[in-house]
Amino acid sequence: MSETPFERRTRDAQARLRERGASALALFPSPNTYYLGGFEESPGERHFFLFVPASGDPVFVVPDLYGAQVRDATWVADVRTWADGDDPLAAVADALADLGVAGGEVLLDPTMHARFTLDLRDCLPACEFGLAGAVLDDLRVRKDDAELDALRAAGSAADAAMRDVRGLGADAVGMTETALARYVEERLVARGGTGTSFEPIVASGPNAANPHHGHGEREIRAGEPVTLDFGTRVEHYPSDQTRTVVFAGDPPAGYAEAHDAVVEAQRAAVDAVEPGVEAQAVDAAARDVLEAAGYGDAFVHRTGHGVGLDVHEEPYIVAGNDRALEAGMVFSVEPGVYVEGEWGVRVEDLVVVTESGCERLNDTPRGWRV
């Protein structure tokens, strides 16, 4: 049987464990567990672990009711279960002993609940503990071909949904923000996505001056800018794009000029993306355009964030981040201008760093007219 992407990533992680001199990874239901083990689950109250030793084969220790599901989904051959009424720590201790994990450094999933962290400390009194990001962050930040295919498909679904939203035209006037958010969710699924990658933002008029407004019962009015920030998932990987549009009528004074400046800032930032460029240089490229246009103080957040199994992950496109971009990194480019109490505008696409520049994963119109 050919090696799966999950097994290949696990072997890469083990090589990094050995380079670090660490003993094992201890993962909990999280994107990291899916990234290596191929099984996705939300955290719960039961003990559920994936142990990856520096050498040898990994082991799942899971509640009995998950056993068949995990075995069907994962490439990991050793899936051990414990039943309700049993002591789960006995199964955990046996697995760790069989893996030879008794001392050295064990790297824990950073999202692990405190009670499970304390239980592992009790099981491994001679070990030191760190965070799994020390090994996994540099692996996850560069997407492989399977991940990029999923991200492209998710981006296409979001683009198609945005075209449907634009198609509403004046019919969107009078809808509440929440009603339009529900419409967005329906169109994302109809266009091939799986649910939403985060709660959609539909922010109309003065609400758009708050970058993370969400949505509410305010009705959309003619002539108002409406910021729509949403995404879906395909094969576990998300999209994330933003457009700000006016569904009918003429926008407020000064809005069109600000929108043009944001689109130009985004173009400048995207043009700056290539391997070897520092992440902060991309942020500076967008910020320089908006400062020159007189909107510097109205751009109140970073230019972007990495996107992968988590919607927000490395690399962060922000001042002070001197990390050099590498081929395979995926992140958002989303400058914005916000005028408190009046309106806001943000334009966002995801990009993947290529060997010679970058590829946009979104390509719907960026103008405000629908």
Side-chain angles (χ1 to χ4, degrees), residues 108-269:
L108 304 178
D109 199 300
T111 65
M112 188 177 291
H113 292 176
R115 60 181 292 235
F116 302 125
T117 299
L118 293 175
D119 284 345
L120 288 177
R121 286 179 177 272
D122 288 342
C123 288
L124 298 168
C127 288
E128 297 179 355
F129 294 89
L131 294 180
V135 163
L136 295 182
D137 284 355
D138 277 350
L139 291 177
R140 285 183 52 183
V141 78
R142 292 181 299 277
K143 276 55 183 180
D144 60 29
D145 289 343
E147 292 176 294
L148 291 175
D149 286 345
L151 287 160
R152 289 187 183 100
S156 294
D159 278 354
M162 188 62 217
R163 287 192 288 271
D164 292 338
V165 169
R166 285 181 177 274
L168 290 172
D171 290 343
V173 175
M175 294 178 72
T176 66
E177 294 171 344
T178 295
L180 185 51
R182 298 290 87 86
Y183 175 78
V184 166
E185 292 171 356
E186 183 269 325
R187 296 319 300 164
L188 287 169
V189 174
R191 294 300 190 173
T194 301
T196 57
S197 46
F198 53 91
E199 185 66 24
I201 292 173
V202 179
S204 62
N207 288 340
N210 301 314
H212 281 175
H213 163 70
H215 52 78
E217 295 309 307
R218 188 179 188 281
E219 291 187 357
I220 295 165
R221 303 171 188 172
E224 285 187 335
V226 181
T227 296
L228 299 114
D229 185 342
F230 57 79
T232 186
R233 288 185 183 267
V234 172
E235 297 294 329
H236 303 274
Y237 285 84
S239 51
D240 183 5
Q241 60 105 289
T242 306
R243 298 291 185 265
T244 305
V245 299
V246 177
F247 285 102
D250 295 323
Y255 171 77
E257 293 80 4
H259 196 288
D260 287 347
V262 169
V263 171
E264 179 55 34
Q266 198 217 30
R267 182 183 301 114

Side-chain angles (χ1 to χ4, degrees), residues 18 47 62 100 287 332 365:
R18 293 191 295 271
H47 292 69
V62 303
R287 210 164 294 280
S332 67

Side-chain angles (χ1 to χ4, degrees), residues 86-106:
D86 293 344
D87 178 7
L89 295 185
V92 169
D94 286 345
L96 291 169
D98 290 346
L99 292 173
V101 179
E105 184 183 38
V106 175

Side-chain angles (χ1 to χ4, degrees), residues 263-289 303 317-318 321 323-327 329 331-333 335 351-360:
V263 171
E264 179 55 34
Q266 198 217 30
R267 182 183 301 114
V270 170
D271 287 347
V273 175
E274 62 178 323
V277 169
E278 293 181 353
Q280 63 184 349
V282 179
D283 178 83
R287 210 164 294 280
D288 287 349
V289 171
T303 294
I317 310 305
V318 63
N321 185 0
R323 180 168 192 161
L325 302 181
E326 301 172 56
M329 289 181 171
F331 52 85
S332 67
V333 180
V351 300
V352 53
V353 183
T354 65
E355 295 295 339
S356 59
C358 76
E359 168 194 353
R360 287 187 192 251

